[in-house]
Amino acid sequence: MSMARTKMAAAAEGDRGLPIYFVIALIAMVVPITFEVGGLFLTASRLVLLFVTPILLIRLFGGHYGALTKADVLFGLFLTWFAMAMFLHWPSRFLTFVGSNFVIIAGGFLLGRCCIQGPRAFRQFIILYGLLVLFSLPFGIYEMFTSEMPIARFLEKIPGIASSKDVDYPSRNELERVQFVFVHPIHYGLFCSYVFAMVAIGLRDSLPFVVRWAWAMAIAFACFTSGSSGPFTGILISMALILYGAISGGRWKIFIWTFVIFYAVLEVLSNRPAYFVIIEKMAFNPGTAYGRRLILDAGLLQITRTPIFGTANPLPLPHWMTGSLDNYWLLVAVAFGVPAFVFLMSSYVYTIIKVCRPDLSADPKLAALRKGWVIGLIGSMFALATVAIWSELLSLTFLVFGSGAWLMKARAASDDTAIPPEDIPEKPRHRYTRFPAQPPVSAGRLAR
């Protein structure tokens, strides 16, 4: 097989649509049912991941999805360190706790990493995800005024099935905080925020401007109904990056250095960390920003005490606080150790840098998909610094992260499908002459 045919076959192989089990797994993440099988506590998505995770892991190591990347290795090291920390903290619960969380974390990542290998599958993922958020919006509006979760209450009527409970958080601005089907309003807000930039920018060359932005604004409104400032901050950051990209023509180095200088000046002039100044300005409730500051102070102090494998003990927080560690990155460092945080964050940063390197200017559709994913991921990273996540949202978070891994090897269509000159078969040339044809010269005659 020629080099050109090999390239074209690989492109076709990588541009398959989403497998049916991916669709089932993603939909299962918004099916709020819990049940027990043989003493195992399961949810709909966890049951699906329990079956597909081992298969995807074997196929990944078998090279079915390309060679392992440094991001894969770093993510694997994060999971390994997480397991070691759990063994030290809870040896009696090691198998059940680590096994369950491995399925939740690794299963979500492998779904995105392995099932999305090209632009076709990625667009289908964005559309399906975005439609799920639109589907949630009418239920969210109803819940915002009534505080009732109709889907969860309906499913609870099935024998042997439990569903999400209403956490009954205080209303904000006289509106109830929407959970939809999730265990917490913050999780619903994150569920909406992750896909905002991918719809608004990722589908730029696939849908008209009005359709995309109407869809994106509906997603932003759905996020707003959660009453959670962290996820909505992620959307605001995404919008700021989109606006800057449109105005500057993509001069991102200038933006990065401007942000670094601005943050440094704010850090020097403020009587508290610049991070909290920004959070306080964006928070729906300034009291939550103050609480996060106490959490960060206590978390950093704990890290200095147990930097290697973290601690299983709760943070020493004031009695009036719930004890929830509302900063996922800090939670990883506190509970599992600084190395776990370094491995996970390095996997994120390496992937973003690697994805941004190829020149995709010759393929606007591919460039739009990349831009939407990168901006959305950066927004989610900021949002995760203000919230704690578990269960379905943990799987979804790493699914979104893994879904962009194929972009590290993406090339413009003109580069992938072009046939190199040496692979183009020469057309037979007919030579017309009045001289008779000469017999071929043998190697022996040439030697003489």
Side-chain angles (χ1 to χ4, degrees):
M1 183 181 289
S2 68
M3 184 184 299
R5 289 181 181 177
T6 303
K7 284 185 176 182
M8 295 175 71
E13 176 76 16
D15 205 19
R16 290 180 176 177
L18 291 174
I20 186 63
Y21 58 84
F22 179 97
V23 176
I24 294 172
L26 184 59
I27 294 175
M29 291 180 187
V30 294
V31 177
I33 60 174
T34 59
F35 52 93
E36 285 192 21
V37 177
L40 292 176
F41 179 79
L42 295 172
T43 64
S45 65
R46 206 172 300 176
L47 181 63
V48 178
L49 292 176
L50 194 62
F51 285 99
V52 303
T53 300
I55 298 172
L56 293 176
L57 191 61
I58 292 171
R59 289 176 61 84
L60 177 64
F61 280 105
H64 290 273
Y65 308 109
L68 291 176
T69 66
K70 291 181 181 178
D72 297 329
V73 174
L74 288 167
F75 195 82
L77 289 172
F78 157 67
L79 288 172
T80 302
W81 205 270
F82 160 82
M84 290 192 299
M86 288 301 95
F87 179 76
L88 292 175
H89 298 330
W90 293 302
S92 61
R93 299 170 54 191
F94 172 75
L95 289 178
T96 55
F97 188 85
V98 171
S100 174
N101 279 273
F102 181 85
V103 169
I104 292 172
I105 298 173
F109 175 76
L110 288 170
L111 274 177
R113 169 69 174 85
C114 301
C115 297
I116 300 177
Q117 292 292 308
R120 181 184 174 192
F122 194 57
R123 286 192 193 95
Q124 290 176 351
F125 163 60
I126 295 172
I127 292 170
L128 175 60
Y129 188 175
L131 288 176
L132 287 175
V133 177
L134 285 186
F135 170 78
S136 75
L137 187 54
F139 297 96
I141 294 174
Y142 176 79
E143 185 180 349
M144 185 169 58
F145 291 102
T146 65
S147 188
E148 295 181 9
M149 303 167 63
I151 295 178
R153 301 294 76 82
F154 172 78
L155 291 174
E156 279 185 336
K157 297 177 181 179
I158 303 174
I161 297 295
S163 192
S164 303
K165 304 298 181 183
D166 187 352
V167 296
D168 197 26
Y169 268 44
S171 60
R172 289 182 176 173
N173 300 319
E174 299 183 356
L175 296 173
E176 300 295 332
R177 298 182 63 183
V178 175
Q179 289 179 234
F180 179 45
V181 296
F182 295 97
V183 296
H184 197 285
I186 287 178
H187 284 201
Y188 177 58
L190 286 173
F191 166 72
C192 300
S193 68
Y194 287 166
V195 76
F196 171 81
M198 289 191 284
V199 167
I201 296 299
L203 301 179
R204 183 179 59 194
D205 289 276
S206 302
L207 292 176
F209 177 87
V210 174
V211 175
R212 281 186 295 109
W213 278 100
W215 192 351
M217 289 299 104
I219 291 171
F221 178 72
C223 178
F224 175 79
T225 64
S226 70
S228 302
S229 56
F232 201 72
T233 297
I235 286 184
L236 293 177
I237 289 172
S238 296
M239 292 181 68
L241 292 174
I242 291 170
L243 181 61
Y244 175 82
I247 294 174
S248 69
R251 295 179 176 87
W252 293 107
K253 288 184 178 180
I254 297 176
F255 175 82
I256 293 171
W257 282 110
T258 301
F259 176 79
V260 169
I261 294 172
F262 168 77
Y263 191 90
V265 171
L266 191 62
E267 185 76 29
V268 172
L269 297 180
S270 177
N271 60 355
R272 56 196 185 281
Y275 165 77
F276 290 110
V277 176
I278 298 172
I279 293 298
E280 285 175 358
K281 297 300 180 183
M282 293 185 174
F284 292 155
N285 182 355
T288 60
Y290 175 70
R292 290 190 179 101
R293 179 177 180 177
L294 294 179
I295 289 172
L296 182 62
D297 290 341
L300 292 177
L301 183 60
Q302 182 61 50
I303 288 172
T304 62
R305 296 168 178 161
T306 54
I308 306 302
F309 291 106
T311 179
N313 299 322
L315 292 179
L317 296 171
H319 69 277
W320 50 268
M321 296 186 69
T322 62
S324 174
L325 212 167
D326 293 333
N327 183 328
Y328 182 69
W329 307 116
L330 182 65
L331 184 150
V332 170
V334 169
F336 314 125
V338 173
F341 165 77
V342 171
F343 290 140
L344 180 58
M345 183 59 70
S346 297
S347 183
Y348 266 75
V349 173
Y350 175 83
T351 302
I352 291 174
I353 293 173
K354 195 74 173 177
V355 163
C356 290
R357 280 184 177 176
D359 181 9
L360 302 181
S361 56
D363 194 334
K365 290 187 176 181
L366 195 57
L369 290 173
R370 178 177 68 178
K371 187 176 181 181
W373 180 81
V374 170
I375 288 178
L377 194 68
I378 291 174
S380 73
M381 291 172 71
F382 276 94
L384 289 174
T386 65
V387 299
I389 56 174
W390 62 93
S391 195
E392 276 63 39
L393 243 294
L394 198 56
S395 297
L396 181 63
T397 297
F398 291 119
L399 187 155
V400 171
F401 171 48
S403 70
W406 67 276
L407 287 162
M408 288 192 284
K409 58 179 184 294
R411 295 293 182 271
S414 58
D415 294 335
D416 285 339
T417 59
I419 301 177
E422 62 270 19
D423 288 331
I424 301 176
E426 293 187 5
K427 296 181 179 179
R429 297 181 181 179
H430 299 284
R431 183 182 179 190
Y432 298 96
T433 175
R434 58 189 178 89
F435 296 102
Q438 299 295 323
V441 179
S442 66
R445 290 180 58 191
L446 286 174
R448 291 196 297 270

